[in-house]
Amino acid sequence: MNTSLPQKIWTSLLILVIGLALLFSLYIYAAFSWSYSKGERAGFLQKVSNKGWICKTWEGELSLIAMPGVAPEKFLFTVRDDAVAEKLNAAAGKRVTLNYEQHKGLPSSCFGDTDYFVVGVTEIE
Protein backbone atom coordinates (compact mmCIF):
# COMPACT_ATOMS: atom_id res chain seq x y z
CA MET A 1 0.00 0.00 0.00
CA ASN A 2 1.49 3.28 -1.11
CA THR A 3 0.39 6.38 0.81
CA SER A 4 0.96 9.81 -0.57
CA LEU A 5 3.31 12.21 1.20
CA PRO A 6 0.63 14.78 2.19
CA GLN A 7 -1.43 12.05 3.84
CA LYS A 8 1.61 10.90 5.84
CA ILE A 9 2.25 14.48 6.96
CA TRP A 10 -1.37 14.92 8.12
CA THR A 11 -1.29 11.58 9.94
CA SER A 12 1.98 12.49 11.69
CA LEU A 13 0.59 15.93 12.61
CA LEU A 14 -2.58 14.37 14.02
CA ILE A 15 -0.56 11.91 16.12
CA LEU A 16 1.60 14.78 17.38
CA VAL A 17 -1.43 16.89 18.38
CA ILE A 18 -3.11 13.95 20.15
CA GLY A 19 0.15 13.15 21.95
CA LEU A 20 0.58 16.76 23.12
CA ALA A 21 -3.04 16.90 24.33
CA LEU A 22 -2.51 13.65 26.24
CA LEU A 23 0.70 14.95 27.85
CA PHE A 24 -1.05 18.21 28.83
CA SER A 25 -3.94 16.25 30.37
CA LEU A 26 -1.53 14.08 32.35
CA TYR A 27 0.28 17.20 33.59
CA ILE A 28 -3.00 18.79 34.79
CA TYR A 29 -4.02 15.53 36.49
CA ALA A 30 -0.64 15.32 38.25
CA ALA A 31 -0.77 18.98 39.34
CA PHE A 32 -4.19 18.47 40.94
CA SER A 33 -3.37 15.05 42.42
CA TRP A 34 -0.07 15.99 44.04
CA SER A 35 -0.19 18.58 46.78
CA TYR A 36 2.88 20.77 47.34
CA SER A 37 1.72 21.59 50.86
CA LYS A 38 -1.28 21.14 53.16
CA GLY A 39 -2.28 23.17 56.17
CA GLU A 40 -4.74 25.28 58.08
CA ARG A 41 -5.26 29.02 58.35
CA ALA A 42 -7.49 30.74 60.89
CA GLY A 43 -9.02 34.18 60.67
CA PHE A 44 -12.10 36.14 59.72
CA LEU A 45 -13.72 35.23 56.42
CA GLN A 46 -14.07 38.50 54.54
CA LYS A 47 -15.11 37.56 51.04
CA VAL A 48 -16.20 34.64 48.87
CA SER A 49 -17.19 35.24 45.25
CA ASN A 50 -17.81 33.26 42.09
CA LYS A 51 -15.81 35.08 39.43
CA GLY A 52 -14.43 34.78 35.93
CA TRP A 53 -15.51 35.49 32.37
CA ILE A 54 -15.41 31.99 30.94
CA CYS A 55 -14.01 29.81 33.72
CA LYS A 56 -16.01 30.55 36.88
CA THR A 57 -14.09 29.85 40.08
CA TRP A 58 -14.85 30.51 43.73
CA GLU A 59 -12.30 32.96 45.12
CA GLY A 60 -12.06 34.11 48.72
CA GLU A 61 -10.21 36.25 51.19
CA LEU A 62 -9.40 35.47 54.82
CA SER A 63 -8.15 38.16 57.20
CA LEU A 64 -5.54 36.43 59.33
CA ILE A 65 -5.57 37.15 63.03
CA ALA A 66 -2.67 39.45 63.88
CA MET A 67 -1.27 41.19 66.91
CA PRO A 68 -3.25 44.24 68.10
CA GLY A 69 -2.19 47.41 66.30
CA VAL A 70 -0.74 45.53 63.32
CA ALA A 71 -2.43 45.53 59.91
CA PRO A 72 -4.02 42.12 59.23
CA GLU A 73 -2.51 39.90 56.56
CA LYS A 74 -4.85 38.60 53.85
CA PHE A 75 -4.89 34.97 52.76
CA LEU A 76 -6.29 34.63 49.23
CA PHE A 77 -7.71 31.24 48.26
CA THR A 78 -9.67 29.28 45.66
CA VAL A 79 -12.47 26.75 46.19
CA ARG A 80 -13.20 24.01 43.66
CA ASP A 81 -15.97 22.18 45.54
CA ASP A 82 -19.42 23.83 45.45
CA ALA A 83 -20.36 22.23 48.80
CA VAL A 84 -17.36 23.87 50.49
CA ALA A 85 -18.23 27.18 48.76
CA GLU A 86 -21.75 26.99 50.22
CA LYS A 87 -20.32 26.47 53.73
CA LEU A 88 -18.01 29.43 53.21
CA ASN A 89 -20.87 31.64 52.01
CA ALA A 90 -22.81 30.73 55.16
CA ALA A 91 -19.79 31.61 57.34
CA ALA A 92 -19.03 35.00 55.73
CA GLY A 93 -17.91 37.52 58.36
CA LYS A 94 -17.29 34.84 60.98
CA ARG A 95 -14.08 33.45 62.44
CA VAL A 96 -13.14 30.21 60.67
CA THR A 97 -10.38 27.69 60.17
CA LEU A 98 -9.68 26.77 56.55
CA ASN A 99 -8.06 23.48 55.53
CA TYR A 100 -6.17 23.96 52.29
CA GLU A 101 -3.90 22.27 49.80
CA GLN A 102 -1.35 24.13 47.72
CA HIS A 103 -1.05 23.07 44.08
CA LYS A 104 1.79 24.74 42.20
CA GLY A 105 2.27 24.87 38.46
CA LEU A 106 -1.30 25.14 37.21
CA PRO A 107 -1.13 26.68 33.73
CA SER A 108 -3.93 29.26 33.79
CA SER A 109 -6.42 31.11 35.96
CA CYS A 110 -9.19 28.81 34.66
CA PHE A 111 -8.25 26.49 37.51
CA GLY A 112 -8.21 29.30 40.08
CA ASP A 113 -6.55 32.63 40.76
CA THR A 114 -4.36 31.25 43.58
CA ASP A 115 -2.28 28.18 44.37
CA TYR A 116 -4.25 27.62 47.60
CA PHE A 117 -7.35 25.41 47.29
CA VAL A 118 -9.64 25.21 50.32
CA VAL A 119 -10.92 21.67 50.93
CA GLY A 120 -12.66 22.19 54.28
CA VAL A 121 -13.95 24.87 56.62
CA THR A 122 -14.72 24.90 60.36
CA GLU A 123 -16.42 27.76 62.19
CA ILE A 124 -14.69 28.85 65.40
CA GLU A 125 -17.08 29.64 68.24
Side-chain angles (χ1 to χ4, degrees), residues 22 26 29 32 43 46 71 73 79 84 88 103 108 110 122 124:
L22 181 63
L26 287 173
Y29 175 77
F32 273 122
Q46 289 188 318
E73 183 182 344
V79 182
V84 174
L88 286 168
H103 297 276
S108 80
C110 265
T122 307
I124 300 173

Side-chain angles (χ1 to χ4, degrees), residues 45-118:
L45 185 60
Q46 289 188 318
K47 178 176 104 172
V48 179
S49 63
N50 193 10
K51 59 191 258 186
W53 292 104
I54 296 172
C55 304
K56 292 281 191 186
T57 59
W58 287 99
E59 304 297 329
E61 188 176 291
L62 183 74
S63 177
L64 299 176
I65 300 165
M67 299 289 291
V70 178
E73 183 182 344
K74 291 181 182 176
F75 174 64
L76 304 175
F77 61 88
T78 301
V79 182
R80 292 180 56 214
D81 187 359
D82 285 335
V84 174
E86 286 179 23
K87 289 180 184 178
L88 286 168
N89 279 321
K94 297 179 182 173
R95 191 170 174 204
V96 296
T97 300
L98 301 180
N99 298 328
Y100 70 88
E101 295 178 351
Q102 184 179 12
H103 297 276
K104 289 190 168 205
L106 295 174
S108 80
S109 63
C110 265
F111 301 104
D113 288 346
T114 70
D115 289 345
Y116 299 99
F117 292 86
V118 171

